[in-house]
Amino acid sequence: MRKLFQFLYRYRAFFIFLVLQAICAWMIVANNNYQRTVYLNTTSRIAGSVIEKADNVSDFFSLRKVNEDLAEENARLRQLLLNSNVSIPDSTSFITIPSDSLDSMEYIAHSAEVIRNTIRNTNNFITLNKGSKDGLMAGMGVVNKDGVVGKIRSVSSRRAQVISLLNTNNPISSKLLRTNRLGTIQWDGSDPRTAKLLYVPVDVDIQVGDTVVTSSFNAIFPKNMMIGVVKSAKPDIHQRDYEIEVKLSVDFGALSYVSAIENRLKPETDSLSVQNPGETND
Amino acid sequence: MTRNMIIGVTNFLVYVTLQVLVFQNLVVFDVGFVFVYIIFLLLLPMELSFSGIMLLGFATGTIVDVFYNTLGIHASACVLLAFVRPYWTRLVTPRSGYEVGVLPTLNSFGLGWFITYALPLIFIHHSTVFIIEAGGINFLSMSLLKGLASSILSLVFIVAIQYLFFKNQR
């Protein structure tokens, strides 16, 4: 210990220099916008590359699980295809083909991989490995095979940041599938497996096990995307609304591949509401 | 010693005031900035301890930063200047050596010595300011050009000030 103090004392000038420079660096980063941006960009680039490398390794070990998920989804899609009533083209009968199949597509899904995800904070964010170069834009909804994951908050050229559904500032317009009653899904910041369904009045018939899906009233998600099922419902202390707990269908602890959903008609919808000001309230 | 202290305090008040009121507005060809306040750090007594100079440098830099709205940048450069100064003075000792109580001014040791002593220190200080201002080494050539031009400009002002005001002090 004495040796240590001797050492510190001998090089005290250098240590004082380091301390003062550290204070300066802190003041620079805390008070100057441009320097702070440079600092944040540099650190996030370094952290990003480290996280990506680590993620590559962990990806390798989750390949089996991902494969199973994909196979399962393939089977489900094939099932849908079989059940859909599109007749197989028969050369002897007339079939009608839409003139341009692109026009009839309202939603486009872009697949992406989750490279960073938190679930334990009050406001959680997810980082995707794709960005504006791959067609992702701020405001697009993000889902995986089980249901709604969140929406994109900002994109850079090769990364996108998603506000997770597990974020207390991310309400999502939703409805009860059986009764078509609208409500709002909002996470309360405690349990990553459940969220609250708000603004459902007590006169609504509600049962444990009811499915909660996205409503058609938002331009971010297609309607009837799965969110979760009602876990418990009881009237709140004012007997006005239900306090509903919804068990989320997405396992946020094990997110790996997701799809970002592009609504091709969103610009059109938005411009229509801009043309008629005063008639919308959002 | 007391005389040196009075000179130091006066230097500090006069040059920091001059810097933030007058020289802050002086820019030559977009590359020449004048940071004349570091004359205070350059003319501190030789006997002052390492940490003393650095703390003074930190304080001076912070005060200038407050007026330049660049909190931390000048402070950092001044601390670096103060850290390098003792090593540099040891390297450029004049033939007669330093005398106790004599300030390292132009009149004490001559113009040639003063420029060798001051120019590298001024250059270190100025380039540090411009490199931090540019947010790293992205615009290194521009920062160094600014640093060099400003160093020469500052040196001219610092020498001129000493000819004007320090002439008869010895």
Side-chain angles (χ1 to χ4, degrees):
Chain A
M1 202 61 191
R2 226 181 87 235
K3 281 259 168 65
L4 177 69
F5 282 126
Q6 270 176 355
F7 172 78
L8 284 179
Y9 186 73
R10 203 163 152 217
Y11 295 101
R12 64 190 181 284
F14 184 65
F15 286 114
I16 291 174
F17 172 70
L18 283 187
V19 168
L20 287 178
Q21 286 292 9
I23 297 174
C24 290
W26 172 75
M27 288 202 301
I28 291 171
V29 169
N31 294 299
N32 299 283
N33 281 328
Y34 174 68
Q35 277 77 8
R36 177 168 52 233
T37 317
V38 169
Y39 166 78
L40 289 177
N41 279 347
T42 317
T43 49
S44 68
R45 197 169 60 228
I46 296 169
S49 72
V50 170
I51 287 166
E52 194 172 5
K53 292 216 167 57
D55 199 57
N56 280 342
V57 176
S58 60
D59 256 10
F60 179 75
F61 291 106
S62 62
L63 273 182
R64 169 182 284 271
K65 170 85 170 69
V66 171
N67 268 339
E68 278 168 11
D69 285 353
L70 289 177
E72 199 175 286
E73 176 144 28
N74 268 345
R76 191 177 62 80
L77 292 175
R78 195 166 297 127
Q79 183 82 28
L80 277 178
L81 201 62
L82 288 176
N83 292 342
S84 67
N85 43 17
V86 175
S87 56
I88 290 149
D90 182 347
S91 57
T92 59
S93 68
F94 274 109
I95 52 165
T96 53
I97 297 172
S99 56
D100 184 353
S101 61
L102 269 178
D103 274 348
S104 62
M105 270 162 60
E106 188 174 353
Y107 296 100
I108 300 176
H110 303 268
S111 81
E113 192 189 343
V114 172
I115 58 170
R116 178 154 51 168
N117 180 20
T118 59
I119 58 170
R120 311 245 174 258
N121 302 338
T122 321
N123 295 314
N124 294 296
F125 294 96
I126 299 168
T127 308
L128 304 182
N129 70 340
K130 297 209 171 147
S132 55
K133 274 190 178 169
D134 311 282
L136 267 59
M137 281 175 291
M140 283 163 61
V142 176
V143 300
N144 77 352
K145 69 179 171 55
D146 296 322
V148 171
V149 173
K151 61 188 169 202
I152 296 181
R153 178 170 77 154
S154 61
V155 289
S156 61
S157 64
R158 278 185 228 142
R159 293 284 183 272
Q161 200 179 37
V162 177
I163 309 185
S164 176
L165 196 153
L166 302 184
N167 187 313
T168 51
N169 299 324
N170 187 15
I172 292 173
S173 169
S174 52
K175 69 177 181 193
L176 290 158
L177 187 62
R178 190 168 57 87
T179 51
N180 269 335
R181 284 311 289 244
L182 291 168
T184 298
I185 281 283
Q186 187 154 29
W187 193 52
D188 57 355
S190 55
D191 183 2
R193 282 178 293 262
T194 58
K196 292 271 193 300
L197 178 60
L198 309 174
Y199 315 127
V200 177
V202 283
D203 57 329
V204 175
D205 166 34
I206 191 166
Q207 288 171 13
V208 172
D210 276 355
T211 308
V212 181
V213 295
T214 53
S215 73
S216 49
F217 286 2
N218 71 51
I220 296 170
F221 296 104
K223 67 174 179 182
N224 294 349
M225 294 291 300
M226 181 74 176
I227 293 178
V229 293
V230 174
K231 188 178 164 193
S232 69
K234 61 173 191 296
D236 67 359
I237 46 172
H238 308 297
Q239 300 288 319
R240 190 174 64 108
D241 288 348
Y242 273 116
E243 267 182 10
I244 306 173
E245 287 210 316
V246 175
K247 184 181 181 306
L248 297 171
S249 58
V250 174
D251 181 3
F252 282 89
L255 278 183
S256 54
Y257 288 91
V258 296
S259 316
I261 294 186
E262 179 183 353
N263 184 351
R264 294 184 66 246
L265 300 185
K266 187 166 190 283
E268 204 175 317
T269 320
D270 289 350
S271 67
L272 199 60
S273 9
V274 170
Q275 278 171 21
N276 302 295
E279 297 194 2
T280 57
N281 53 2
D282 58 354
Chain B
M1 198 63 213
T2 333
R3 193 176 137 262
N4 282 350
M5 213 187 270
I6 293 169
I7 292 178
V9 172
T10 327
N11 274 351
F12 177 79
L13 290 177
V14 171
Y15 296 122
V16 170
T17 318
L18 265 183
Q19 179 68 44
V20 299
L21 295 182
V22 180
F23 288 109
Q24 191 176 357
N25 308 315
L26 181 65
V27 181
V28 180
F29 297 129
D30 289 338
V31 290
F33 295 80
V34 184
F35 300 127
V36 88
Y37 70 95
I38 58 171
I39 193 178
F40 162 68
L41 296 173
L42 292 176
L43 297 191
L44 282 173
M46 292 293 188
E47 307 86 63
L48 209 59
S49 75
F50 241 116
S51 6
I53 303 179
M54 278 194 283
L55 288 173
L56 282 174
F58 182 73
T60 322
T62 312
I63 289 171
V64 173
D65 273 331
V66 168
F67 289 96
Y68 269 72
N69 237 338
T70 54
L71 207 57
I73 295 179
H74 283 269
S76 172
C78 286
V79 170
L80 183 66
L81 168 73
F83 179 68
V84 175
R85 199 189 90 137
Y87 294 110
W88 184 241
T89 48
R90 219 171 290 162
L91 273 179
V92 295
T93 317
R95 209 171 299 138
S96 55
Y98 300 113
E99 291 167 47
V100 175
V102 174
L103 297 177
T105 57
L106 198 147
N107 293 310
S108 317
F109 300 109
L111 180 66
W113 179 85
F114 186 76
I115 291 178
T116 1
Y117 161 69
L119 191 59
L121 293 178
I122 299 178
F123 181 66
I124 290 177
H125 173 273
H126 286 25
S127 354
T128 314
V129 167
F130 292 122
I131 288 174
I132 299 178
E133 210 164 36
I137 55 170
N138 300 331
F139 308 100
L140 191 61
S141 52
M142 188 60 191
S143 306
L144 288 182
L145 174 70
K146 273 185 181 174
L148 196 64
S150 310
S151 305
I152 293 167
L153 203 59
S154 295
L155 185 75
V156 169
F157 274 97
I158 287 173
V159 168
I161 284 170
Q162 291 194 61
Y163 271 125
L164 284 176
F165 300 113
F166 280 70
K167 197 72 181 167
N168 304 320
Q169 269 185 7
R170 232 185 131 185

